[in-house]
């Protein structure tokens, strides 16, 4: 495929992610921090996020399986997840975490379970999106081009 | 026997006569002997007899007389010379004593008689005293009764009980057959039987009030005896032979208004009740004076007690009313509080929702600035950025407005360039004005200082709002903005008499006038201008948009700056002038060459603004840590990362200039670390600057950070520009206190 086309596809894809609310402004900040001295910054951060989130989601699943649910522990895990997701700009994950925290505050187990499902879902979705994004970027780099900066037309 | 010259012939002693004489003498002697004995006996018995020795004398006299008669017994027959001698002695003695007694009696008898008179006199006196005693006793008894009655009457404040008690007690004290109280009706023309003693439920007899009997009673303050046949006294069952005497007394009905201080109530009330008291029939009892006095006293007491009862009723009513009002007020207050809380919640939520897209706009525009742009594009982007900053400020201010109402908003004072503020306003307004083909002119007086101390952001907002309104409401013509230092004569305006500005050495009053040639405002709308959300409804302004909050907020800011704002207009179609005056500080000469505090958008976009700055980042969250690190590395800092408070305390040293710590992680106490760091570095210049990174900037978090001695707070997520400006602020001034 033509470099320009791939670049355009990348730009359109990124824009769509913003439009759909998967990403927010924070992600752009991350991209800004990537430069020649730090070429894979975004990739590293995102990968770290997914490792982190997997661990946290496992912990959450185990915690909610207990007969006596420790809401404090639950809350602290969700807080972590919320922090991480907001740091990289994963907006939908962050919003799902906020909802999760509300249910934790009122100690509603049913609600928590539902939210957990939702968080997992959102993580999974955004992971896919990122993977696509990174694949496109790699393609561009492989073709010798540079990743275009997002033109903000919206 | 010798012959004598007696008329009667001599007579030889007869035996019979002799015998009778003999016996009589004997009895006389007996009597004469027993009388003294009796006297002695009885005198001995009596305690007091003043004349004992008289008695002795008398006794001697009688005894001797008796002795004489006794001895006489022997002389009837032939007797010896001794007997004759004894007889003679006896007679002589008797004679002596008799004469002595006779003489003495002359002295004594008057005395004895006077004793009798004295005794009579004393008896009279005793009788008199007895009478007086009786009088006093009755008086005292009356007094006791009236005291008791009064006590009974005054022991209650219930009108009904008072009257009933009065009747009962009076009935008991005076042993009355019947006692009745007639009260005047509402119309005042009749007396109605209200209370009786014996009958339980008096039927409502009425009697017209203008009977002569009643008038007589009412006109006297004493109890008056009335005929048992008059209508008010005819309530007893008929069939008694002799109805007992009846007395009537008036009871004044006093109103509150009758009591003046230090003044007895005036009896011009003319409202009286009638109390009628009837003695039992067939008893022949009479009304005594003391009883009448008692009745009068009781009537007065009843009057007073009734008035007290009336006062009490009034005050109870007033108290009930107050309680109701209190309850209603409480409810209203609670409703108002609920409304305020609801509004605050709403504002807080809206605020949050509004901030999120604002951040996107600001972030993206600042990023856009970093890219390659043509000069026009750059200008446009800068305008977008400034407008969005102002909008963000406005959003903050909508939240502030609720805080303004609570009075908790404070101005951010700082030194700033006054000319620059006006220039910016002009730049912001020029594009819109040129579209509307309005000519805008700015006129700054020559004596206006270039730098001033005040709240730059809010001053600019105020000027912008006023100028913006001028532009909004003008379809054509020109807008002129004049700014000058207000002089003392001009300071006091006839329109604002309550505003007394006093210039001093450290302050001056900036006066800004914005005149436009637009649609103008009619005089009756002018007062409404500064009320929130109120807009004039003329068609020209209907589609001009806006929330109507602008002028209200401006007014509050101007008030905070100890100034005044008002609008003059000569009427519709004649344009209007908005004028405001605010108090600004005059900076000292030394401050002038220093750069203004307000963080400006940096003109150089080089990434290494802080080469080699040693920074410590404490954050438990790995991803967040990495992002912050990336941010700081991008800015050229030398970043050390720690993920726990113990590690942080171990690693921190005086080489680290800034410490960023995440304080919104539950369970990990960033505040604790701050306190420990403060303790560790006693000298202020060795201590690193501590900045908190947090997800919420509510009051509690801010207070906690200030309490532990942190130098600033940053709201996450942090943009590159924000981090840059924060660092430059911190390093320059060592204090930030809030960057959102």
């Amino acid at each position: 495929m033509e470099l320009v086309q791939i670049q355009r596809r990348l730009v359109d894809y990124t824009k769509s992610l913003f439009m759909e609310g998967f990403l927010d402004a924070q992600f752009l900040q991350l991209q800004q921090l990537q430069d020649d001295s730090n070429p894979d910054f975004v990739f590293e951060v995102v990968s770290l996020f997914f490792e982190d989130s997997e661990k946290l989601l496992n912990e959450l699943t185990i915690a909610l399986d207990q007969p006596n649910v420790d809401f404090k522990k639950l809350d602290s895990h969700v807080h972590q997840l919320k922090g991480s997701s907001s740091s990289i700009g994963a907006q939908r994950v962050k919003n799902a975490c906020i909802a999760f925290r509300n249910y934790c505050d009122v100690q509603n187990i049913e609600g928590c379970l539902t939210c957990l499902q939702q968080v997992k879902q959102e993580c999974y979705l955004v992971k896919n999106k990122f993977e696509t994004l990174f694949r496109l970027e790699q393609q561009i780099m492989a073709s010798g081009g540079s990743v275009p900066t997002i033109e903000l037309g919206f | 026997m010798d012959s004598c010259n007696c008329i009667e012939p001599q007579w030889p002693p007869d035996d019979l006569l002799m015998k009778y004489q003999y016996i009589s003498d004997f009895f006389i002697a007996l009597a004469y002997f027993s009388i003294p004995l009796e006297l002695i006996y009885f005198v001995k018995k009596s305690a007091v007899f003043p004349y004992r020795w008289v008695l002795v004398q008398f006794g001697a006299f009688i005894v001797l007389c008796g002795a004489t008669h006794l001895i006489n017994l022997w002389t009837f027959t032939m007797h010896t010379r001794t007997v004759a001698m004894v007889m003679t002695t006896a007679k002589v003695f008797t004679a002596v004593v008799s004469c002595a007694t006779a003489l003495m009696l002359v002295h004594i008898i008057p005395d004895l008689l006077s004793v009798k008179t004295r005794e009579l006199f004393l008896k009279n006196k005793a009788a008199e005293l007895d009478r007086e005693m009786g009088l006093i006793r009755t008086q005292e008894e009356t007094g006791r009764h009236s005291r008791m009655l009064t006590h009974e009457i005054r022991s209650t404040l219930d009108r009904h009980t008072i009257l009933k008690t009065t009747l009962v007690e009076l009935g008991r004290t005076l042993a009355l057959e019947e006692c009745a109280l007639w009260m005047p009706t509402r119309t005042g023309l009749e007396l109605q039987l209200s209370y009786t003693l014996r009958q339980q439920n008096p039927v409502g007899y009425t009697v017209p009030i203008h009977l002569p009997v009643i008038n007589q009673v009412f006109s006297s303050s004493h109890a008056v005896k009335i005929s048992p046949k008059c209508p008010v006294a005819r309530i007893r069952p008929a069939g008694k032979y002799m109805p007992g005497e009846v007395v009537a007394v008036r009871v004044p009905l006093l109103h509150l208004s009758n009591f003046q201080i230090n003044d007895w109530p005036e009896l011009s009330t003319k409202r009286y009740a009638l109390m009628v008291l009837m003695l039992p029939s067939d008893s022949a009892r009479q009304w005594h004076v003391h009883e009448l006095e008692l009745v009068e006293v009781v009537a007065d007491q009843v009057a007073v007690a009734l008035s007290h009862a009336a006062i009490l009723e009034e005050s109870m009513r007033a108290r009930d009313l107050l309680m109701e009002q209190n309850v209603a007020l409480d409810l209203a207050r609670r409703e108002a509080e609920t409304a305020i809380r609801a509004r605050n919640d709403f504002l807080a939520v809206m605020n949050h929702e509004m901030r999120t897209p604002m951040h996107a706009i600001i972030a993206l525009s600042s990023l856009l600035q970093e890219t390659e742009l043509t000069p026009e594009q750059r200008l446009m982007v800068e305008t977008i950025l400034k407008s969005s900053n102002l909008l963000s400020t406005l959003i903050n201010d909508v939240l502030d407005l609720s805080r303004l109402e609570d009075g908790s908003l404070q101005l951010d004072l700082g030194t700033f360039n006054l000319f620059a503020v006006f220039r910016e306003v002009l730049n912001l307004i020029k594009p819109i004005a040129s579209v509307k083909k309005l000519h805008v002119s700015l006129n700054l007086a020559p004596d206006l200082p270039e730098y001033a101390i005040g709240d730059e952001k809010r001053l600019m907002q105020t000027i912008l709002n006023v100028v913006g309104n001028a532009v909004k409401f003008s379809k054509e013509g020109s807008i002129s903005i004049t700014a000058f230092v207000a002089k003392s004569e001009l300071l006091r305006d006839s329109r604002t008499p309550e505003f007394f500005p006093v210039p001093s050495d450290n302050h001056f009053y900036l006066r800004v006038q914005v005149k436009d040639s637009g649609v103008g405002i009619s005089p009756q709308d002018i007062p409404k201008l500064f009320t929130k959300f109120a807009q004039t409804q003329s068609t020209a302004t209907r589609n001009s948009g806006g929330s109507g909050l602008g002028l209200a907020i401006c007014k509050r800011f101007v008030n905070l700056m100890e100034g005044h704002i008002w609008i003059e207009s000569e009427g519709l179609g004649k344009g209007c002038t908005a004028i405001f005056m605010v108090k600004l500080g005059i900076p000292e000469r030394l401050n002038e060459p220093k750069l203004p505090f307000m963080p400006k958008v940096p003109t150089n976009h080089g990434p290494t603004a802080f080469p080699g700055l040693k920074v410590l980042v404490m954050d438990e969250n790995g991803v967040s840590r990495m992002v912050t690190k990336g941010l700081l590395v991008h800015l050229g800092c030398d970043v050390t990362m720690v993920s726990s408070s113990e590690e942080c305390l171990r690693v921190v040293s005086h080489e680290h200039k800034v410490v960023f710590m995440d304080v919104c992680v539950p369970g990990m106490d960033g505040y604790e670390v701050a306190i420990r760091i403060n303790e560790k570095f006693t000298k202020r210049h060795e201590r690193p600057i501590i900045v908190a990174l947090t997800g919420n900037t509510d009051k509690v978090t801010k207070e906690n950070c200030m309490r532990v001695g942190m130098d600033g707070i940053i709201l996450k997520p942090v943009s590159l520009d924000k981090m840059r400006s924060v660092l430059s602020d911190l390093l320059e001034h060592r204090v930030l206190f809030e960057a959102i």
Side-chain angles (χ1 to χ4, degrees):
Chain A
M1 219 187 285
E2 278 270 355
L3 178 64
V4 174
Q5 274 181 329
I6 306 178
Q7 284 178 328
R8 175 149 316 137
R9 255 193 72 193
L10 177 66
V11 168
D12 287 337
Y13 191 67
T14 318
K15 268 204 231 171
S16 75
L17 290 183
F18 277 104
M19 300 284 251
E20 288 166 24
F22 280 102
L23 298 177
D24 62 19
Q26 184 62 14
F27 184 68
L28 291 172
Q29 290 285 327
L30 285 188
Q31 289 195 321
Q32 253 205 314
L33 300 178
Q34 183 162 297
D35 56 17
D36 298 327
S37 58
N38 223 340
D40 292 319
F41 182 66
V42 179
F43 182 74
E44 281 169 16
V45 177
V46 172
S47 317
L48 184 60
F49 170 70
F50 283 120
E51 276 174 38
D52 232 12
S53 62
E54 218 176 287
K55 265 189 271 185
L56 284 170
L57 287 171
N58 279 340
E59 295 278 333
L60 284 170
T61 322
I62 294 174
L64 273 173
D65 259 341
Q66 304 290 326
N68 284 347
V69 178
D70 185 353
F71 283 101
K72 271 210 166 85
K73 210 163 85 163
L74 213 59
D75 187 73
S76 83
H77 286 318
V78 178
H79 183 88
Q80 287 272 17
L81 191 58
K82 177 178 149 231
S84 313
S85 56
S86 70
S87 295
I88 66 161
Q91 196 181 39
R92 279 161 69 143
V93 178
K94 181 183 79 167
N95 288 343
C97 287
I98 294 177
F100 198 145
R101 274 196 97 183
N102 287 341
Y103 280 114
C104 274
D105 281 342
V106 300
Q107 305 203 343
N108 181 342
I109 298 193
E110 289 300 313
C112 287
L113 283 169
T114 325
C115 278
L116 180 62
Q117 283 307 107
Q118 213 171 348
V119 171
K120 280 189 182 165
Q121 170 97 338
E122 292 297 336
C123 277
Y124 180 69
L125 281 172
V126 83
K127 189 165 176 190
N128 281 342
K129 301 286 179 187
F130 271 126
E131 277 171 6
T132 320
L133 201 65
F134 289 140
R135 225 175 340 111
L136 284 174
E137 282 190 4
Q138 271 179 346
Q139 280 186 335
I140 293 175
M141 303 293 279
S143 318
S146 60
V147 176
T149 47
I150 315 285
E151 255 179 48
L152 303 160
F154 64 98
Chain B
M1 294 272 152
D2 297 332
S3 60
C4 60
N5 296 333
C6 322
I7 299 169
E8 287 187 32
Q10 282 188 338
W11 173 66
D14 203 341
D15 271 330
L16 195 65
L17 287 174
M18 284 294 126
K19 263 200 193 106
Y20 280 132
Q21 279 194 0
Y22 195 81
I23 292 169
S24 313
D25 268 333
F26 176 72
F27 274 115
I28 288 169
L30 200 65
Y32 275 174
F33 277 131
S34 51
I35 287 174
L37 285 175
E38 285 171 14
L39 271 173
I40 292 167
Y41 175 72
F42 282 115
V43 165
K44 268 227 161 88
K45 272 262 171 146
S46 89
V48 186
F49 193 73
Y51 301 108
R52 274 184 203 239
W53 71 280
V54 168
L55 213 60
V56 167
Q57 218 175 356
F58 219 68
F61 163 67
I62 294 178
V63 163
L64 284 167
C65 277
T68 316
H69 281 282
L70 192 65
I71 296 170
N72 216 12
L73 285 178
W74 274 270
T75 53
F76 284 116
T77 53
M78 291 306 264
H79 48 277
T80 58
R81 189 184 168 83
T82 328
V83 173
M85 281 300 291
V86 168
M87 181 78 193
T88 318
T89 329
K91 270 202 177 147
V92 166
F93 274 130
T94 310
V96 166
V97 171
S98 320
C99 290
T101 311
L103 281 171
M104 214 182 45
L105 275 177
V106 172
H107 294 293
I108 290 177
I109 288 181
D111 267 351
L112 281 175
L113 283 177
S114 76
V115 161
K116 217 48 194 161
T117 32
R118 244 180 281 152
E119 188 188 316
L120 210 64
F121 175 70
L122 279 170
K123 230 190 257 172
N124 283 344
K125 261 285 184 232
E128 210 177 288
L129 277 171
D130 261 338
R131 263 200 306 277
E132 272 179 29
M133 264 294 280
L135 217 70
I136 290 173
R137 226 181 267 133
T138 37
Q139 272 182 353
E140 195 235 333
E141 187 120 330
T142 312
R144 201 161 41 81
H145 275 135
S146 65
R147 266 198 305 279
M148 193 237 328
L149 269 168
T150 310
H151 174 75
E152 289 292 325
I153 291 170
R154 300 282 290 275
S155 66
T156 166
L157 281 173
D158 173 40
R159 167 186 269 260
H160 184 79
T161 320
I162 289 172
L163 293 169
K164 257 300 186 198
T165 316
T166 312
L167 296 181
V168 164
E169 290 297 324
L170 265 179
R172 208 157 49 84
T173 311
L174 298 171
L176 298 172
E177 180 181 4
E178 181 62 270
C179 187
L181 190 72
W182 298 75
M183 303 278 277
T185 55
R186 271 185 205 287
T187 56
L189 295 174
E190 290 181 325
L191 284 178
Q192 187 181 21
L193 181 62
S194 316
Y195 299 92
T196 55
L197 182 56
R198 307 288 169 201
Q199 300 172 23
Q200 284 310 307
N201 293 314
V203 181
Y205 288 120
T206 54
V207 155
I209 207 171
H210 290 297
L211 291 179
V213 155
I214 298 177
N215 279 338
Q216 185 199 3
V217 176
F218 280 178
S219 57
S220 149
S221 63
H222 296 292
V224 174
K225 289 209 184 88
I226 60 176
S227 151
K229 294 206 185 12
C230 85
V232 289
R234 247 197 271 161
I235 55 171
R236 279 183 289 200
K240 302 281 178 182
Y241 292 115
M242 258 305 285
E245 289 200 349
V246 180
V247 145
V249 69
R250 70 175 187 188
V251 180
L253 296 174
L254 301 162
H255 293 287
L256 199 56
S257 51
N258 294 126
F259 287 97
Q260 270 125 36
I261 305 181
N262 298 333
D263 223 5
W264 234 191
E266 312 201 334
L267 291 180
S268 54
T269 55
K270 303 250 192 276
R271 275 199 71 193
Y272 299 108
L274 191 72
M275 193 154 59
V276 175
L277 306 118
M278 297 173 226
L279 286 178
S281 325
D282 304 335
S283 72
R285 251 183 70 189
Q286 300 263 332
W287 280 101
H288 298 283
V289 171
H290 69 266
E291 289 172 346
L292 292 179
E293 281 174 4
L294 183 67
V295 164
E296 285 159 23
V297 164
V298 166
D300 278 334
Q301 287 299 321
V302 164
V304 171
L306 281 178
S307 65
H308 282 186
I311 294 173
L312 179 72
E313 269 177 41
E314 281 281 336
S315 72
M316 297 286 280
R317 234 201 322 243
R319 192 197 66 168
D320 284 338
L321 197 65
L322 269 174
M323 271 180 52
E324 272 178 38
Q325 284 179 345
N326 261 357
V327 166
L329 272 173
D330 204 35
L331 191 65
R333 182 180 59 93
R334 262 182 282 130
E335 281 177 11
E337 276 178 8
T338 321
I340 288 179
R341 253 181 285 133
R343 183 204 61 181
N344 282 345
D345 287 340
F346 168 73
L347 280 176
V349 165
M350 283 303 294
N351 185 32
H352 174 77
E353 296 300 317
M354 286 196 274
R355 273 190 192 167
T356 319
M358 273 318 303
H359 278 146
I361 297 175
I362 293 178
L364 298 179
S365 327
S366 58
L367 278 178
L368 190 56
Q369 265 188 333
E370 311 266 327
T371 61
E372 291 288 326
L373 298 170
T374 67
E376 298 100 24
Q377 285 176 324
R378 186 164 293 282
L379 194 63
M380 283 190 250
V381 171
E382 277 176 4
T383 312
I384 294 176
L385 201 56
K386 282 191 206 133
S387 304
S388 2
N389 273 329
L390 278 171
L391 184 58
S392 163
T393 311
L394 181 65
I395 291 171
N396 288 341
D397 289 338
V398 168
L399 196 60
D400 286 349
L401 193 64
S402 58
R403 276 197 273 150
L404 269 173
E405 322 235 279
D406 306 335
S408 55
L409 186 74
Q410 310 230 303
L411 294 176
D412 299 326
L413 297 176
T415 311
F416 62 92
N417 187 330
L418 197 57
F419 292 6
V421 167
F422 282 104
R423 272 199 293 269
E424 285 222 19
V425 168
L426 207 60
N427 288 339
L428 280 169
I429 219 69
K430 265 218 174 93
I432 308 171
S434 63
V435 161
K436 284 179 103 168
K437 301 218 184 354
L438 296 166
H439 178 248
V440 181
S441 66
L442 173 64
N443 218 332
L444 299 175
D447 62 350
L448 201 63
E450 194 181 343
Y451 289 97
I453 300 181
D455 188 334
E456 180 186 4
K457 222 172 28 158
R458 296 201 168 111
L459 180 65
M460 178 143 80
Q461 196 177 339
T462 311
I463 303 174
L464 195 59
N465 198 306
V466 167
V467 173
N469 276 349
V471 169
K472 198 168 25 162
F473 292 106
S474 303
K475 290 212 198 96
E476 56 184 6
S478 65
I479 309 220
S480 79
I481 309 172
T482 355
F484 51 94
V485 174
K487 303 286 182 294
S488 27
E489 319 84 62
L490 295 175
L491 282 179
R492 205 160 323 170
D493 206 288
S494 55
R495 277 162 299 240
T496 60
E498 66 276 357
F499 181 55
F500 297 122
V502 177
S504 66
D505 281 335
N506 302 335
H507 297 100
F508 71 98
Y509 278 87
L510 169 72
R511 184 174 160 126
V512 176
Q513 281 172 203
V514 177
K515 187 164 162 49
D516 72 53
S517 57
V519 293
I521 302 171
S522 61
Q524 59 253 42
D525 284 334
I526 290 190
K528 284 195 279 180
L529 283 172
F530 290 100
T531 47
K532 284 192 296 182
F533 307 118
Q535 279 190 307
T536 53
Q537 284 302 310
S538 56
T539 42
T541 64
R542 188 137 345 136
N543 47 4
S544 40
S547 62
L549 269 183
L551 279 177
I553 296 187
C554 285
K555 184 173 166 106
R556 278 180 178 76
F557 286 153
V558 167
N559 284 341
L560 271 178
M561 294 190 229
E562 295 176 54
H564 194 78
I565 179 170
W566 69 96
I567 295 197
E568 296 165 12
S569 169
E570 288 171 33
L572 287 169
K574 297 202 175 81
C576 74
T577 312
I579 309 174
F580 69 88
M581 284 201 277
V582 290
K583 188 175 181 187
L584 297 174
I586 304 176
E588 292 151 20
R589 291 269 142 199
L590 311 158
N591 281 346
E592 271 190 39
K594 220 174 163 197
L595 286 172
F597 282 16
M598 180 79 171
K600 288 205 285 205
V601 178
T603 43
N604 66 324
H605 303 293
T608 59
F610 309 100
L613 179 70
K614 265 182 108 69
V615 174
L616 183 65
V617 174
M618 181 185 91
D619 192 337
E620 203 190 44
N621 187 311
V623 174
S624 159
R625 212 168 43 222
M626 202 161 161
V627 172
T628 317
K629 176 178 172 182
L631 211 54
L632 292 165
V633 162
H634 191 81
L635 290 172
C637 304
D638 177 3
V639 184
T640 323
M641 312 266 286
V642 291
S643 58
S644 73
S645 37
E646 297 87 30
E647 224 185 308
C648 175
L649 288 170
R650 227 176 340 115
V651 169
V652 75
S653 71
H654 64 270
E655 289 180 340
H656 296 108
K657 289 280 180 286
V658 189
V659 174
F660 288 96
M661 57 176 75
D662 187 316
V663 297
C664 66
V665 180
M668 189 155 117
D669 204 354
Y671 304 124
E672 190 54 40
V673 179
I675 296 175
R676 297 274 196 76
I677 293 182
N678 266 326
E679 285 168 8
K680 192 164 168 184
F681 298 95
T682 46
K683 296 213 191 66
R684 201 169 152 78
H685 63 91
E686 277 181 0
R687 186 171 72 84
I689 304 173
I690 307 180
V691 181
L693 291 169
T694 171
N696 60 338
T697 52
D698 62 359
K699 232 180 176 177
V700 176
T701 321
K702 266 197 265 186
E703 274 169 16
N704 282 338
C705 289
M706 279 166 81
R707 192 171 38 91
V708 298
M710 296 202 183
D711 301 299
I713 294 190
I714 308 183
L715 181 65
K716 284 207 286 195
V718 194
S719 75
L720 189 61
D721 282 332
K722 200 190 330 178
M723 186 59 92
R724 196 185 283 136
S725 67
V726 159
L727 280 175
S728 64
D729 261 353
L730 282 173
L731 293 170
E732 225 177 302
H733 314 300
R734 278 202 75 94
V735 80
L736 172 70
F737 253 99
E738 200 178 338
I740 298 188

